[in-house]
Amino acid sequence: MTCVEHTEKRTSARALPGRRRAGRATAVAVVTAALTLLVPVADAAARPGAWPRPAAPTPAPPPDCDAARGAVEASLGPLVDRHGIPGVAADVVDRRCARWSVARGVADLDSGRPMDAGDRLRIGSVSKTFTVTVVVQLAAEGRIGLDAPVERYLPGLIRGNGHHGRKITVRQLLQHTSGLPDYVEALAERPVEEWRFRHFEPREQIATALKMPRPAKKWHYATTNTVVAGLIVEKVTGHRVEAEVDRRVIRKLGLRDTYWPGDGTRIRGAHSRSYMPGPGGGPDGRVSFRPGGGEASSRGGGKASSRVDGTEWNMTFGGAGGALVSTPADVNRFFGALFGGKLLPARWLAEMKRTVPADPDRLWPGARYGLGLISSPLACGGRWWGHGGTVPGGHRALGAVGPGGRTVALALNQVPATDHAEQDFRAVVDSALCPPDRTSRLKENP
Protein backbone atom coordinates (compact mmCIF):
# COMPACT_ATOMS: atom_id res chain seq x y z
CA MET A 1 0.00 0.00 0.00
CA THR A 2 1.17 3.46 -0.79
CA CYS A 3 0.17 6.74 0.78
CA VAL A 4 1.55 9.67 -1.18
CA GLU A 5 0.82 13.39 -0.84
CA HIS A 6 0.40 15.28 -4.09
CA THR A 7 0.31 18.73 -5.54
CA GLU A 8 0.23 18.87 -9.35
CA LYS A 9 0.90 15.64 -11.24
CA ARG A 10 1.76 14.82 -14.80
CA THR A 11 4.41 16.08 -17.11
CA SER A 12 3.74 17.26 -20.64
CA ALA A 13 4.62 13.80 -21.95
CA ARG A 14 1.44 12.51 -20.33
CA ALA A 15 -0.90 15.24 -21.42
CA LEU A 16 -3.72 14.54 -23.86
CA PRO A 17 -3.78 12.54 -25.96
CA GLY A 18 -2.42 10.29 -23.27
CA ARG A 19 -3.13 9.41 -19.71
CA ARG A 20 -2.07 9.23 -16.07
CA ARG A 21 0.89 9.96 -13.94
CA ALA A 22 4.51 9.18 -13.13
CA GLY A 23 7.38 10.28 -10.93
CA ARG A 24 5.10 12.10 -8.53
CA ALA A 25 7.20 11.90 -5.36
CA THR A 26 10.28 13.22 -7.20
CA ALA A 27 8.29 15.98 -8.90
CA VAL A 28 6.82 17.11 -5.60
CA ALA A 29 10.24 17.18 -3.96
CA VAL A 30 11.75 19.20 -6.84
CA VAL A 31 8.89 21.71 -6.93
CA THR A 32 8.92 22.08 -3.15
CA ALA A 33 12.66 22.69 -3.12
CA ALA A 34 12.37 25.21 -5.96
CA LEU A 35 9.64 27.15 -4.22
CA THR A 36 11.57 27.15 -0.94
CA LEU A 37 14.57 28.71 -2.69
CA LEU A 38 12.70 31.22 -4.82
CA VAL A 39 11.11 33.16 -1.97
CA PRO A 40 14.29 34.25 -0.10
CA VAL A 41 16.22 34.89 -3.31
CA ALA A 42 13.52 37.25 -4.54
CA ASP A 43 13.50 38.97 -1.12
CA ALA A 44 17.29 39.43 -1.23
CA ALA A 45 17.11 40.90 -4.73
CA ALA A 46 14.56 43.44 -3.50
CA ARG A 47 16.86 44.54 -0.63
CA PRO A 48 20.51 44.69 -1.84
CA GLY A 49 22.99 43.63 0.78
CA ALA A 50 20.42 41.91 2.97
CA TRP A 51 20.79 38.25 3.93
CA PRO A 52 17.95 35.99 2.71
CA ARG A 53 15.54 35.15 5.46
CA PRO A 54 15.25 31.43 6.28
CA ALA A 55 12.22 29.74 4.77
CA ALA A 56 9.38 29.12 7.17
CA PRO A 57 9.05 25.46 8.17
CA THR A 58 6.30 23.52 6.46
CA PRO A 59 3.44 23.11 8.93
CA ALA A 60 2.57 19.57 9.88
CA PRO A 61 -0.86 18.40 8.74
CA PRO A 62 -3.57 18.42 11.41
CA PRO A 63 -3.77 15.15 13.36
CA ASP A 64 -7.20 14.34 11.94
CA CYS A 65 -5.70 14.36 8.44
CA ASP A 66 -3.44 11.46 9.41
CA ALA A 67 -6.44 9.72 10.96
CA ALA A 68 -8.41 10.17 7.73
CA ARG A 69 -5.58 8.69 5.68
CA GLY A 70 -5.36 5.73 8.01
CA ALA A 71 -9.10 5.11 7.86
CA VAL A 72 -9.17 5.11 4.04
CA GLU A 73 -6.06 2.96 3.88
CA ALA A 74 -7.63 0.39 6.19
CA SER A 75 -10.92 0.39 4.28
CA LEU A 76 -9.21 -0.65 1.03
CA GLY A 77 -7.87 -3.85 2.60
CA PRO A 78 -11.05 -5.97 2.51
CA LEU A 79 -11.54 -5.30 -1.21
CA VAL A 80 -8.20 -6.93 -2.01
CA ASP A 81 -7.80 -9.42 0.84
CA ARG A 82 -11.39 -10.59 1.26
CA HIS A 83 -12.98 -10.03 -2.14
CA GLY A 84 -10.00 -10.74 -4.39
CA ILE A 85 -10.06 -7.51 -6.39
CA PRO A 86 -6.57 -7.17 -7.89
CA GLY A 87 -6.10 -3.45 -7.31
CA VAL A 88 -7.86 -0.54 -5.59
CA ALA A 89 -6.95 3.12 -5.25
CA ALA A 90 -8.36 6.29 -3.72
CA ASP A 91 -7.57 9.95 -4.30
CA VAL A 92 -8.78 12.45 -1.67
CA VAL A 93 -8.80 16.27 -1.72
CA ASP A 94 -9.49 18.34 1.37
CA ARG A 95 -8.98 22.06 2.00
CA ARG A 96 -7.19 21.36 5.30
CA CYS A 97 -5.35 18.17 4.40
CA ALA A 98 -4.47 19.02 0.76
CA ARG A 99 -4.45 16.09 -1.66
CA TRP A 100 -3.34 12.57 -0.91
CA SER A 101 -3.81 9.10 -2.31
CA VAL A 102 -3.64 5.50 -1.19
CA ALA A 103 -3.60 2.23 -3.13
CA ARG A 104 -3.57 -1.50 -2.52
CA GLY A 105 -2.92 -4.49 -4.72
CA VAL A 106 -1.69 -4.56 -8.30
CA ALA A 107 -2.55 -2.67 -11.47
CA ASP A 108 -1.37 -5.53 -13.67
CA LEU A 109 -1.60 -9.19 -12.68
CA ASP A 110 0.98 -10.26 -15.26
CA SER A 111 3.72 -7.83 -14.28
CA GLY A 112 2.77 -7.36 -10.63
CA ARG A 113 3.03 -3.57 -11.03
CA PRO A 114 1.50 -1.94 -7.95
CA MET A 115 -1.84 -0.17 -8.21
CA ASP A 116 -1.41 3.59 -8.44
CA ALA A 117 -4.04 6.28 -7.95
CA GLY A 118 -2.34 8.13 -10.83
CA ASP A 119 -3.26 5.45 -13.36
CA ARG A 120 -5.99 6.02 -15.90
CA LEU A 121 -9.07 3.85 -16.10
CA ARG A 122 -12.43 3.74 -17.83
CA ILE A 123 -14.85 5.63 -15.58
CA GLY A 124 -18.07 4.30 -17.12
CA SER A 125 -21.20 6.08 -15.98
CA VAL A 126 -19.29 8.83 -14.20
CA SER A 127 -19.27 10.11 -17.81
CA LYS A 128 -22.98 10.85 -17.38
CA THR A 129 -22.30 13.69 -14.95
CA PHE A 130 -19.91 15.30 -17.45
CA THR A 131 -22.52 15.13 -20.22
CA VAL A 132 -25.39 16.26 -18.02
CA THR A 133 -23.34 19.23 -16.80
CA VAL A 134 -23.10 20.42 -20.41
CA VAL A 135 -26.85 19.96 -20.92
CA VAL A 136 -27.51 22.09 -17.82
CA GLN A 137 -24.98 24.69 -18.98
CA LEU A 138 -26.97 24.99 -22.21
CA ALA A 139 -30.15 25.28 -20.16
CA ALA A 140 -28.56 28.12 -18.19
CA GLU A 141 -27.79 29.81 -21.51
CA GLY A 142 -31.42 29.50 -22.59
CA ARG A 143 -30.64 27.08 -25.41
CA ILE A 144 -32.29 24.00 -23.87
CA GLY A 145 -35.43 23.86 -21.76
CA LEU A 146 -35.20 21.27 -19.00
CA ASP A 147 -38.98 20.82 -19.07
CA ALA A 148 -39.26 20.94 -22.85
CA PRO A 149 -40.23 17.75 -24.68
CA VAL A 150 -37.54 15.75 -26.44
CA GLU A 151 -39.62 16.03 -29.61
CA ARG A 152 -38.77 19.75 -29.81
CA TYR A 153 -35.11 18.97 -30.38
CA LEU A 154 -35.20 15.50 -31.95
CA PRO A 155 -38.48 15.20 -33.87
CA GLY A 156 -39.42 11.64 -34.72
CA LEU A 157 -36.54 9.99 -32.82
CA ILE A 158 -38.49 8.59 -29.87
CA ARG A 159 -41.39 6.68 -31.41
CA GLY A 160 -42.71 3.16 -30.93
CA ASN A 161 -43.59 0.60 -28.29
CA GLY A 162 -45.67 3.19 -26.42
CA HIS A 163 -42.86 5.79 -26.34
CA HIS A 164 -43.14 9.25 -27.84
CA GLY A 165 -40.82 12.21 -27.67
CA ARG A 166 -43.73 14.53 -26.91
CA LYS A 167 -44.30 12.74 -23.59
CA ILE A 168 -40.67 12.80 -22.38
CA THR A 169 -38.92 15.93 -21.14
CA VAL A 170 -35.22 16.70 -21.06
CA ARG A 171 -35.38 16.68 -17.26
CA GLN A 172 -36.81 13.15 -17.30
CA LEU A 173 -33.91 11.99 -19.47
CA LEU A 174 -31.36 13.42 -17.05
CA GLN A 175 -33.24 12.05 -14.03
CA HIS A 176 -33.92 8.58 -15.49
CA THR A 177 -37.69 8.93 -15.18
CA SER A 178 -38.34 8.88 -18.94
CA GLY A 179 -39.54 5.28 -19.01
CA LEU A 180 -36.99 4.37 -21.70
CA PRO A 181 -35.38 0.92 -21.45
CA ASP A 182 -31.62 0.49 -21.14
CA TYR A 183 -30.05 -0.79 -24.35
CA VAL A 184 -27.00 -1.92 -22.32
CA GLU A 185 -29.14 -4.72 -20.87
CA ALA A 186 -29.73 -6.06 -24.39
CA LEU A 187 -25.98 -6.04 -25.06
CA ALA A 188 -25.23 -7.83 -21.80
CA GLU A 189 -27.42 -10.72 -22.95
CA ARG A 190 -25.18 -11.37 -25.94
CA PRO A 191 -21.79 -13.13 -25.92
CA VAL A 192 -19.27 -10.41 -25.25
CA GLU A 193 -17.03 -11.15 -28.23
CA GLU A 194 -19.95 -10.35 -30.56
CA TRP A 195 -19.86 -6.69 -29.61
CA ARG A 196 -16.74 -5.93 -27.57
CA PHE A 197 -14.74 -4.46 -30.46
CA ARG A 198 -17.43 -3.12 -32.79
CA HIS A 199 -18.54 0.46 -33.36
CA PHE A 200 -21.97 1.67 -32.25
CA GLU A 201 -23.88 4.78 -33.28
CA PRO A 202 -26.16 6.57 -30.77
CA ARG A 203 -29.26 6.20 -32.93
CA GLU A 204 -28.57 2.50 -33.27
CA GLN A 205 -28.52 2.13 -29.49
CA ILE A 206 -31.72 4.14 -29.11
CA ALA A 207 -33.45 1.96 -31.73
CA THR A 208 -32.42 -1.13 -29.76
CA ALA A 209 -33.89 0.34 -26.57
CA LEU A 210 -37.22 1.15 -28.23
CA LYS A 211 -37.70 -2.52 -29.11
CA MET A 212 -37.20 -3.69 -25.52
CA PRO A 213 -39.96 -4.24 -22.92
CA ARG A 214 -40.98 -1.14 -21.02
CA PRO A 215 -39.49 -0.80 -17.51
CA ALA A 216 -41.77 -1.84 -14.68
CA LYS A 217 -40.81 1.03 -12.36
CA LYS A 218 -41.00 4.80 -12.74
CA TRP A 219 -37.31 5.35 -12.00
CA HIS A 220 -35.24 3.21 -14.33
CA TYR A 221 -31.53 3.84 -14.74
CA ALA A 222 -30.75 3.70 -18.47
CA THR A 223 -27.74 4.83 -20.45
CA THR A 224 -30.25 5.35 -23.26
CA ASN A 225 -31.35 8.56 -21.53
CA THR A 226 -27.88 10.12 -21.61
CA VAL A 227 -27.30 9.07 -25.20
CA VAL A 228 -30.52 10.89 -26.19
CA ALA A 229 -29.39 13.90 -24.15
CA GLY A 230 -26.09 13.84 -26.05
CA LEU A 231 -27.96 14.07 -29.35
CA ILE A 232 -29.86 17.09 -28.01
CA VAL A 233 -26.53 18.78 -27.25
CA GLU A 234 -25.43 18.07 -30.82
CA LYS A 235 -28.69 19.45 -32.22
CA VAL A 236 -28.52 22.80 -30.40
CA THR A 237 -24.76 23.39 -30.71
CA GLY A 238 -23.98 21.87 -34.09
CA HIS A 239 -21.08 19.95 -32.52
CA ARG A 240 -20.71 16.41 -31.30
CA VAL A 241 -21.42 16.04 -27.60
CA GLU A 242 -17.88 14.80 -27.01
CA ALA A 243 -16.50 18.05 -28.45
CA GLU A 244 -18.77 20.16 -26.24
CA VAL A 245 -17.83 18.22 -23.10
CA ASP A 246 -14.18 18.56 -24.05
CA ARG A 247 -14.45 22.34 -24.61
CA ARG A 248 -16.77 23.25 -21.76
CA VAL A 249 -15.48 20.92 -19.06
CA ILE A 250 -12.33 18.92 -19.76
CA ARG A 251 -10.18 21.68 -21.27
CA LYS A 252 -11.73 24.40 -19.11
CA LEU A 253 -10.64 22.54 -15.96
CA GLY A 254 -7.31 21.33 -17.35
CA LEU A 255 -8.20 17.65 -16.98
CA ARG A 256 -5.15 16.39 -18.81
CA ASP A 257 -5.86 12.71 -18.23
CA THR A 258 -9.51 12.72 -19.29
CA TYR A 259 -10.51 11.99 -22.87
CA TRP A 260 -13.08 10.34 -25.12
CA PRO A 261 -11.44 7.26 -26.67
CA GLY A 262 -13.67 7.05 -29.76
CA ASP A 263 -13.08 3.74 -31.52
CA GLY A 264 -9.67 3.29 -29.91
CA THR A 265 -9.78 0.10 -27.89
CA ARG A 266 -6.62 0.71 -25.88
CA ILE A 267 -6.21 3.17 -23.01
CA ARG A 268 -3.49 5.67 -23.79
CA GLY A 269 -0.77 6.38 -21.25
CA ALA A 270 -0.19 4.73 -17.88
CA HIS A 271 -3.28 2.81 -16.79
CA SER A 272 -4.42 -0.11 -14.72
CA ARG A 273 -5.45 -3.27 -16.52
CA SER A 274 -9.01 -4.39 -15.86
CA TYR A 275 -10.37 -7.88 -15.32
CA MET A 276 -13.68 -9.64 -15.87
CA PRO A 277 -14.99 -13.18 -15.30
CA GLY A 278 -13.37 -15.71 -17.59
CA PRO A 279 -14.71 -19.00 -18.93
CA GLY A 280 -16.94 -20.44 -16.26
CA GLY A 281 -17.23 -17.04 -14.58
CA GLY A 282 -20.21 -15.86 -16.63
CA PRO A 283 -23.10 -17.50 -18.49
CA ASP A 284 -22.34 -18.40 -22.12
CA GLY A 285 -19.60 -15.83 -22.46
CA ARG A 286 -21.87 -12.99 -21.36
CA VAL A 287 -20.94 -10.31 -18.87
CA SER A 288 -22.99 -9.28 -15.86
CA PHE A 289 -22.61 -5.72 -14.63
CA ARG A 290 -24.64 -2.71 -13.60
CA PRO A 291 -23.65 0.41 -15.56
CA GLY A 292 -24.34 2.74 -12.64
CA GLY A 293 -22.47 0.55 -10.21
CA GLY A 294 -25.36 -0.72 -8.13
CA GLU A 295 -25.68 -3.83 -6.03
CA ALA A 296 -24.03 -6.83 -7.68
CA SER A 297 -26.25 -9.51 -9.14
CA SER A 298 -24.32 -12.36 -7.54
CA ARG A 299 -25.09 -13.22 -3.94
CA GLY A 300 -22.46 -15.83 -3.36
CA GLY A 301 -18.73 -16.20 -3.39
CA GLY A 302 -16.13 -13.55 -3.06
CA LYS A 303 -12.91 -13.97 -4.97
CA ALA A 304 -13.16 -14.64 -8.69
CA SER A 305 -12.54 -18.27 -9.63
CA SER A 306 -11.31 -17.28 -13.08
CA ARG A 307 -10.81 -13.98 -14.84
CA VAL A 308 -9.51 -12.59 -18.08
CA ASP A 309 -8.11 -9.23 -19.12
CA GLY A 310 -10.93 -6.94 -20.25
CA THR A 311 -8.96 -3.72 -20.70
CA GLU A 312 -9.28 -3.42 -24.47
CA TRP A 313 -12.81 -2.38 -25.47
CA ASN A 314 -14.58 -0.23 -28.03
CA MET A 315 -16.45 2.14 -25.74
CA THR A 316 -18.71 3.62 -28.40
CA PHE A 317 -21.26 1.26 -26.88
CA GLY A 318 -21.38 3.63 -23.87
CA GLY A 319 -21.12 6.88 -25.80
CA ALA A 320 -22.07 10.07 -23.96
CA GLY A 321 -23.21 7.96 -21.02
CA GLY A 322 -20.16 5.82 -20.36
CA ALA A 323 -17.12 6.14 -22.62
CA LEU A 324 -14.75 8.53 -20.82
CA VAL A 325 -11.25 7.61 -19.70
CA SER A 326 -9.94 9.55 -16.69
CA THR A 327 -8.01 9.34 -13.43
CA PRO A 328 -9.18 9.60 -9.81
CA ALA A 329 -7.42 12.98 -9.57
CA ASP A 330 -9.26 14.35 -12.61
CA VAL A 331 -12.57 13.01 -11.34
CA ASN A 332 -11.91 14.80 -8.05
CA ARG A 333 -11.11 18.03 -9.87
CA PHE A 334 -14.31 17.74 -11.87
CA PHE A 335 -16.62 17.20 -8.91
CA GLY A 336 -14.77 19.81 -6.86
CA ALA A 337 -15.25 22.34 -9.68
CA LEU A 338 -18.89 21.41 -10.22
CA PHE A 339 -19.79 21.82 -6.55
CA GLY A 340 -17.44 24.79 -6.19
CA GLY A 341 -19.42 26.85 -8.70
CA LYS A 342 -16.85 26.81 -11.50
CA LEU A 343 -19.08 25.10 -14.07
CA LEU A 344 -22.62 26.25 -13.23
CA PRO A 345 -24.34 29.13 -11.47
CA ALA A 346 -25.75 28.15 -8.06
CA ARG A 347 -29.33 28.16 -9.33
CA TRP A 348 -28.53 25.57 -11.97
CA LEU A 349 -26.47 23.37 -9.68
CA ALA A 350 -29.55 23.37 -7.44
CA GLU A 351 -31.52 21.99 -10.39
CA MET A 352 -29.06 19.12 -10.64
CA LYS A 353 -29.56 18.42 -6.91
CA ARG A 354 -33.36 18.10 -7.12
CA THR A 355 -33.71 14.36 -6.55
CA VAL A 356 -36.19 11.52 -6.76
CA PRO A 357 -35.91 8.14 -5.00
CA ALA A 358 -33.77 5.68 -6.94
CA ASP A 359 -34.60 2.01 -7.34
CA PRO A 360 -32.45 0.20 -4.75
CA ASP A 361 -32.27 -2.81 -7.06
CA ARG A 362 -30.51 -0.70 -9.68
CA LEU A 363 -28.41 1.44 -7.33
CA TRP A 364 -28.51 0.71 -3.59
CA PRO A 365 -30.72 1.37 -0.54
CA GLY A 366 -31.10 5.04 0.37
CA ALA A 367 -29.81 6.36 -2.95
CA ARG A 368 -31.58 9.25 -4.67
CA TYR A 369 -31.01 10.63 -8.15
CA GLY A 370 -30.94 14.20 -9.42
CA LEU A 371 -29.85 15.37 -12.87
CA GLY A 372 -26.83 13.19 -13.55
CA LEU A 373 -26.04 13.04 -9.84
CA ILE A 374 -26.43 10.35 -7.20
CA SER A 375 -27.14 11.39 -3.61
CA SER A 376 -26.34 8.70 -1.08
CA PRO A 377 -26.40 8.53 2.74
CA LEU A 378 -23.16 8.48 4.70
CA ALA A 379 -22.74 6.09 7.60
CA CYS A 380 -21.94 9.04 9.88
CA GLY A 381 -24.94 11.12 8.79
CA GLY A 382 -25.43 13.53 5.94
CA ARG A 383 -25.11 12.58 2.27
CA TRP A 384 -22.53 12.51 -0.45
CA TRP A 385 -23.10 13.68 -4.02
CA GLY A 386 -21.44 12.23 -7.08
CA HIS A 387 -21.68 9.28 -9.42
CA GLY A 388 -20.43 5.74 -9.85
CA GLY A 389 -19.46 3.92 -13.00
CA THR A 390 -18.84 0.37 -14.17
CA VAL A 391 -17.67 -1.02 -17.48
CA PRO A 392 -18.02 -4.66 -18.55
CA GLY A 393 -14.26 -5.06 -18.95
CA GLY A 394 -13.84 -4.63 -15.20
CA HIS A 395 -13.08 -1.04 -14.26
CA ARG A 396 -15.19 0.42 -11.46
CA ALA A 397 -15.04 4.13 -10.59
CA LEU A 398 -16.75 6.52 -8.21
CA GLY A 399 -16.45 10.22 -7.47
CA ALA A 400 -18.11 11.84 -4.44
CA VAL A 401 -18.28 15.15 -2.57
CA GLY A 402 -19.04 15.14 1.16
CA PRO A 403 -20.92 17.67 3.30
CA GLY A 404 -17.69 19.44 4.25
CA GLY A 405 -16.42 19.77 0.68
CA ARG A 406 -13.90 16.92 0.83
CA THR A 407 -13.86 14.91 -2.39
CA VAL A 408 -12.91 11.30 -2.97
CA ALA A 409 -12.47 9.34 -6.18
CA LEU A 410 -12.07 5.58 -6.24
CA ALA A 411 -10.76 3.14 -8.82
CA LEU A 412 -11.00 -0.66 -8.94
CA ASN A 413 -9.71 -2.88 -11.72
CA GLN A 414 -12.35 -5.55 -11.22
CA VAL A 415 -16.06 -5.07 -10.62
CA PRO A 416 -17.22 -6.25 -7.17
CA ALA A 417 -18.82 -9.67 -7.64
CA THR A 418 -21.16 -9.67 -4.65
CA ASP A 419 -23.37 -7.30 -2.71
CA HIS A 420 -20.94 -7.63 0.20
CA ALA A 421 -18.01 -6.55 -1.97
CA GLU A 422 -20.03 -3.63 -3.35
CA GLN A 423 -20.93 -2.53 0.18
CA ASP A 424 -17.27 -2.65 1.19
CA PHE A 425 -16.47 -0.55 -1.87
CA ARG A 426 -18.95 2.13 -0.82
CA ALA A 427 -17.65 1.90 2.76
CA VAL A 428 -14.42 3.44 1.46
CA VAL A 429 -16.46 6.57 0.71
CA ASP A 430 -17.65 6.63 4.31
CA SER A 431 -14.07 6.32 5.52
CA ALA A 432 -12.96 9.18 3.28
CA LEU A 433 -15.80 11.62 3.92
CA CYS A 434 -16.81 11.01 7.54
CA PRO A 435 -14.96 12.88 10.33
CA PRO A 436 -12.10 10.80 11.74
CA ASP A 437 -13.70 10.44 15.17
CA ARG A 438 -16.81 9.05 13.51
CA THR A 439 -14.92 7.04 10.91
CA SER A 440 -12.99 5.14 13.58
CA ARG A 441 -16.28 3.83 14.93
CA LEU A 442 -17.64 2.65 11.58
CA LYS A 443 -18.12 -1.09 11.74
CA GLU A 444 -16.80 -3.34 9.04
CA ASN A 445 -19.48 -5.25 7.18
CA PRO A 446 -19.98 -8.67 8.75
Side-chain angles (χ1 to χ4, degrees), residues 122 259 261 263-268 271 273 311-313 325:
R122 303 189 190 279
Y259 72 95
D263 283 312
T265 60
R266 296 184 177 183
I267 299 175
R268 302 194 295 258
H271 60 276
R273 307 299 297 178
T311 313
E312 278 71 45
W313 214 285
V325 168

Side-chain angles (χ1 to χ4, degrees), residues 53 79 129 147 232 267 341 382:
R53 290 177 301 191
L79 293 169
T129 313
D147 296 307
I232 293 175
I267 299 175

